[in-house]
Amino acid sequence: MMTSVFRSRRLVVAAVVISYAVCTFGGAEEPGLLFNANFDAYSIKANFAKGGASTRLFGEESLQLRMWPGAYGNVNSFAYSKSETCAYPLKGNLDPRQGTVSFWVSSLGWKPSAKTFQWFVTARQPGFTLHVYKYLWPGHLYFYIEHPGKDGQVERLSCGTLVEDKDWTEGKWHKLDAVWNETGMKLYVDGILPKTNPKCAWLKSSVSFPESIAFPKADAAGEIVINSSPVGSGAEKDERTAIDDIRVWARPLSDKEIRDAYEFV
């Protein structure tokens, strides 16, 4: 009798955990979720998309012959060289006016201290560009938005943080969350807003805009891109990165939601 009760309780607990995972961190039940590509079906195709799920600029949809272990025990991720790129439709999958872009990333050979770019996720359309990337300055991670300002001149907005080689060792996964709306932008690393590093006091992980900004609506010509600036020659082209569980929401996630999502895994 006690064994049966114990098994029943385990089943109840398991059901609760699964339900929580599905409703909070996966699937269409997430409020405001527009897009998710987790690559666990060994395909580059998104497993959930309000807009298009297929890609362009990437020849083979199947990832069966290029499997790479995913973040936090996921079955698979997308490991790409610096010479490769792929793009998903933006309209329906991302709202330039506000939102959250979240993903896991892992270096497969490059170091943050290297004086090279590493382009992770980009959203671009006429009149709007969003990048989450490592800048060529050593250790600089950036969240960047570019759009036409009121005077017709391009306005460039950014926030970011410094990371070190000792924390970003090869194969180690890190979670990045880029959050923005008309009032400001934030870049979270591993569930938190990093504190300002005294070595680079001007670089802040959270920035408030001096005045409200009306970012444009999604355009049918837009795209969401992994590695938006591929390198076709030289030693850099063989540098590799793994990316996993790309999620896009139509709303800014709260500090608590981002922290909980990171700690849940």
Side-chain angles (χ1 to χ4, degrees):
M1 179 65 178
M2 287 184 67
T3 302
S4 298
V5 171
F6 180 68
R7 286 177 177 170
S8 298
R9 285 176 178 170
R10 283 197 304 179
L11 290 173
V12 170
V13 170
V16 170
V17 170
I18 292 170
S19 176
Y20 180 74
V22 169
C23 294
T24 308
F25 301 111
E29 294 84 354
E30 296 182 58
L33 184 68
L34 299 177
F35 178 89
N36 178 215
N38 63 23
F39 315 110
D40 283 350
Y42 302 106
S43 172
I44 197 69
K45 186 175 180 180
N47 48 290
F48 175 77
K50 289 283 190 177
S54 296
T55 69
R56 69 178 194 86
L57 304 178
F58 191 78
E60 182 63 46
E61 184 175 288
S62 173
L63 299 177
Q64 287 282 355
L65 298 180
R66 47 187 303 166
M67 295 180 284
W68 194 266
Y72 59 90
N74 275 1
V75 173
N76 194 48
S77 66
F78 175 41
Y80 59 91
S81 73
K82 211 167 181 179
S83 63
E84 297 179 300
T85 187
C86 74
Y88 303 88
L90 181 145
K91 191 169 185 179
N93 291 331
L94 184 145
D95 186 345
R97 295 171 296 182
Q98 65 172 15
T100 302
V101 173
S102 172
F103 57 92
W104 291 80
V105 65
S106 175
S107 160
L108 301 181
W110 53 267
K111 295 181 178 181
S113 62
K115 295 180 180 180
T116 58
F117 284 96
Q118 299 294 337
W119 301 95
F120 304 135
V121 175
T122 293
R124 61 191 181 193
Q125 66 177 40
F128 180 85
T129 301
L130 177 157
H131 293 297
V132 185
Y133 68 113
K134 188 198 85 67
Y135 192 57
L136 57 81
W137 293 341
H140 284 64
L141 282 185
Y142 275 100
F143 171 30
Y144 170 96
I145 294 177
E146 180 179 299
H147 76 110
K150 286 185 176 180
D151 58 359
Q153 299 296 313
V154 173
E155 183 175 23
R156 297 175 175 88
L157 310 162
S158 65
C159 62
T161 189
L162 290 181
V163 296
E164 299 183 7
D165 290 355
K166 65 182 179 64
D167 299 319
W168 282 61
T169 54
E170 182 171 354
K172 184 176 181 179
W173 288 98
H174 293 276
K175 188 171 186 287
L176 302 182
D177 292 90
V179 178
W180 79 100
N181 63 11
E182 72 280 2
T183 65
M185 59 197 302
K186 301 176 181 180
L187 179 63
Y188 295 77
V189 180
D190 294 335
I192 62 171
L193 285 172
K195 294 180 180 179
T196 301
N197 191 313
K199 296 178 183 178
C200 196
W202 56 268
L203 185 60
K204 312 288 186 182
S205 60
S206 177
V207 172
S208 296
F209 304 144
E211 56 184 359
S212 181
I213 297 176
F215 293 118
K217 295 181 179 179
D219 190 296
E223 54 189 5
I224 300 170
V225 190
I226 300 172
N227 191 32
S228 61
S229 297
V231 176
S233 61
E236 278 189 61
K237 73 181 181 65
D238 295 321
E239 293 179 353
R240 299 175 71 236
T241 299
I243 195 166
D244 197 13
D245 201 17
I246 304 170
R247 295 171 186 255
V248 181
W249 285 266
R251 62 184 180 88
L253 296 189
S254 68
D255 292 351
K256 185 178 186 305
E257 287 176 306
I258 289 171
R259 183 67 180 176
D260 288 350
Y262 176 74
E263 291 183 342
F264 177 76
V265 302

